[in-house]
Amino acid sequence: MEPNASNNMQPDHCLEIAPMGVHKVVPPPHRSTLQKLKSRLKETFFPDDPLLQFKRQTLGKKWILAAQYFFPILQWGPKYSFKLFKSDIVSGLTIASLAIPQGISYAKLASLPPIVGLYSSFVPPLVYAVLGSSRDLAVGPVSIASLILGSMLTQEVSPVNNPLLFLQLAFSSTFFAGLFQASLGFLRLGFIIDFLSKATLIGFMAGAAIIVSLQQLKSLLGITHFTKKMGLVPVLSSVFHNINEWSWQTILMGFCFLVFLLLTRHVSMRNPKLFWVSAGAPLVSVILSTILVFAFKAQNHGISVIGKLQEGLNPPSWNMLHFHGSNLGLVVKTGLVTGIISLTEGIAVGRTFAALKNYQVDGNKEMMAIGLMNVIGSATSCYVTTGAFSRSAVNHNAGAKTAVSNVVMSVTVMVTLLFLMPLFQYTPNVVLGAIIVTAVIGLIDLPAACQIWKIDKFDFVVMLCAFFGVVFISVQNGLAIAVAISIFKILLQVTRPKTMILGNIPGTDIFRNLHHYKDATRIPGFLILSIEAPINFANATYLKERIQRWINEYETEEDIKKQSSIHFLILDLSAVSAIDTSGVSLFKDLKKAVETKGAELVLVNPVGEVLEKLLRADDARDITGARHPLFDRWRSCGCTLINNEGPIVEQCVIMGEFVTVYFLFGIEKHRLYQQCKDKHFTLSSFNVIAYA
């Protein structure tokens, strides 16, 4: 139809015709199902695109890059210099002074022979230096994994009555922990550990720190008959039911060294340049206490000591691994739990210090490195190890430049194993307990807990569930409860997505949440809603009910105000990133529901994937309906409707059969309705969005 013809059909006093361009929004380019599947798998398993570096490279260069990818030492090793080594040897010796007493202490926390803690501080750091990508991570036993390993295995096997079987199960659990960790990295399934949210970890770590500290009351008070349970009530009950076993000599020594360790920790926290004060304090405590016990024969006066330790390097233990029998389920479960916890801690610590030094840590490579480290460790008399925060912080503050600091620490531990083991024979257990308490206190992060309370109350509840679950039930059950609540939160967000009613900001063409922006106003006859989540089978029913409730509330309010009823239900889909068949059915049902009320459904701003599926599912015109007269006439004329006060139509966007017409703000709606009525067009005959 020509513009002149259109003018002849329209009264001069009502509307004029002026040319205007048409902006058509087309669906995304066609892709086959295989292409879509390939793209989805790439984004799921290879979001970092590790193969990008191999593009446009020669075959020889690709082999070099592949070797560097799996063995990061080949990347930084050729550039290593004596200047870097001077920094690494200082940091390595510093963390060794911390790792030796902590290794012995954490092994006792896991109910293992103390020598196993030193074994675990020798081989794993060497493996990580070759495979790891973090420059600051200091590898070795950690308190939480030690506690979980010991508590889970102790429930089935007594380390006192059957020490050999307990040791075998510990090595087997370490093997399965490493196998699980390496598999996550190799299969690029690291997103699984993301289910341990920050709130969960903070609550879990704080609860575990309390339990670990309470367990040390056995050493700090000199109690010989102590409960094997981990809960707060059993531990305190055991403490006060065995008052007759308390040793004042042990209490005095424990109190003195605990105060000394806490003071050194406080000094280092106040002045990070004095990091060496807290780093060397555990070793100084071990040396001083050993000298005191030896000089005064304190072992004869109620102070228990470690006893004689085996000299020599790690003996092989692959023949001690259990892959069958009645305890297989126990070691698999223990390995799974300790593997997840230690992996989460190690990656979190590595990323923390990488961010401080502005370099990248590859999460999947870290999983493979930590996993293979534990697999190899299980065959060399080591139990579960990972990157410890306290040692890594000391390593970072001491100026570590590369993973060679782990090698220096490992060599120092090797020298200790070969030549210095007799010196630890008179080391008192009470000092080891004090070292553990001082180390785990740092896991209680009160500022972070307050920040969570300030930001998200639901996350705070998750944190408290993790904390109280660990403290009052058990470590593994507390963790399971917190993870379950976190998953429930995710399911709640998926199945109950947010919807909001939008209104116009006066003087603009911007639409915002009516309950957020007090200046926003509703447009008579139009109910504009925004959906802020993907639409799928899990939330389609809820969205249908919620939108119907929005409509009912709108009609009730309009009846009270005696204004016009709803003419259009407009859904803003700009935040809907995906849709499935249930979502498509939702729109079909909504269209039928609003048509029974004499209104129309308008879909606005659907993204590419959503638009593509809607168009594909709309062969029967169940969603968009037939062509509308005004849409056809406007399209054939290629013009803009003008009234005597200026343009009414500012812009038209055609998206297949989805039509959005934006009217200039400031135009009175009743005049537009009257003009359309004069031209024999009713608002129910075309899809239109009128902005006030």
Side-chain angles (χ1 to χ4, degrees), residues 219 221-224 245-251 297-305:
S219 300
L221 299 177
I223 300 174
T224 54
E245 295 184 3
W246 291 14
S247 168
W248 69 266
Q249 298 95 332
T250 302
I251 295 174
K297 307 296 181 182
Q299 71 273 20
N300 300 326
H301 301 281
I303 295 180
S304 63
V305 296

Side-chain angles (χ1 to χ4, degrees), residues 360-512:
Q360 195 72 24
V361 169
D362 189 321
N364 287 290
K365 284 199 287 188
E366 286 296 285
M367 292 176 196
M368 289 189 287
I370 294 175
L372 291 174
M373 178 178 73
N374 281 314
V375 169
I376 296 173
S378 67
T380 54
S381 300
C382 304
Y383 76 105
V384 178
T385 54
T386 188
F389 183 82
S390 58
R391 283 194 295 274
S392 299
V394 171
N395 196 32
H396 171 79
N397 292 329
K401 302 299 182 183
T402 67
V404 171
S405 59
N406 276 289
V407 177
V408 175
M409 178 187 71
S410 181
V411 171
T412 306
V413 174
M414 179 188 71
V415 172
T416 302
L417 287 169
L418 290 174
F419 306 109
L420 304 179
M421 295 314 298
L423 300 179
F424 292 97
Q425 180 176 349
Y426 295 99
T427 299
N429 288 314
V430 63
V431 170
L432 301 181
I435 291 173
I436 292 176
V437 171
T438 307
V440 299
I441 281 179
L443 299 177
I444 303 176
D445 195 344
L446 291 178
C450 295
Q451 186 74 0
I452 291 175
W453 166 260
K454 181 179 178 181
I455 296 174
D456 191 329
K457 301 299 186 292
F458 193 99
D459 269 357
F460 188 78
V461 172
V462 172
M463 184 194 71
L464 289 182
C465 289
F467 176 78
F468 289 116
V470 170
V471 170
F472 288 102
I473 305 176
S474 68
V475 174
Q476 55 271 32
N477 289 336
L479 179 63
I481 291 172
V483 172
I485 295 176
S486 298
I487 294 176
F488 173 74
K489 177 185 177 182
I490 296 173
L491 293 176
L492 199 62
Q493 292 174 341
V494 171
T495 59
R496 295 296 183 268
K498 289 185 177 181
T499 58
M500 63 178 66
I501 184 168
L502 303 181
N504 176 244
I505 304 295
T508 72
D509 58 354
I510 299 173
F511 282 70
R512 291 293 183 266

Side-chain angles (χ1 to χ4, degrees), residues 220-370:
L220 294 173
L221 299 177
I223 300 174
T224 54
H225 298 87
F226 200 73
T227 180
K228 301 298 182 183
K229 297 181 180 179
M230 293 291 170
L232 175 66
V233 176
V235 170
L236 292 181
S237 176
S238 178
V239 168
F240 290 106
H241 277 88
N242 294 286
I243 295 180
N244 59 314
E245 295 184 3
W246 291 14
S247 168
W248 69 266
Q249 298 95 332
T250 302
I251 295 174
L252 179 61
M253 177 176 282
F255 177 79
C256 292
F257 280 103
L258 184 60
V259 170
F260 169 71
L261 290 168
L262 291 175
L263 283 175
T264 58
R265 180 177 181 272
H266 179 71
V267 169
S268 296
M269 289 180 63
R270 291 291 299 271
N271 189 353
K273 292 183 179 179
L274 299 177
F275 65 89
W276 52 270
V277 175
S278 62
L283 186 60
V284 171
S285 299
V286 168
I287 295 173
L288 289 178
S289 62
T290 302
I291 293 174
L292 288 174
V293 169
F294 179 78
F296 294 99
K297 307 296 181 182
Q299 71 273 20
N300 300 326
H301 301 281
I303 295 180
S304 63
V305 296
I306 293 178
K308 187 175 182 179
L309 297 178
Q310 179 182 346
E311 294 182 68
L313 301 180
N314 303 33
S317 58
W318 58 74
N319 58 333
M320 300 176 69
L321 301 180
H322 276 222
F323 300 115
H324 53 79
S326 58
N327 293 313
L328 180 61
L330 173 64
V331 297
V332 171
K333 182 174 68 172
T334 305
L336 181 65
V337 175
T338 55
I340 291 177
I341 294 299
S342 59
L343 187 62
T344 303
E345 181 178 359
I347 292 179
V349 172
R351 286 175 174 170
T352 298
F353 292 106
L356 293 176
K357 288 189 175 179
N358 196 27
Y359 68 91
Q360 195 72 24
V361 169
D362 189 321
N364 287 290
K365 284 199 287 188
E366 286 296 285
M367 292 176 196
M368 289 189 287
I370 294 175

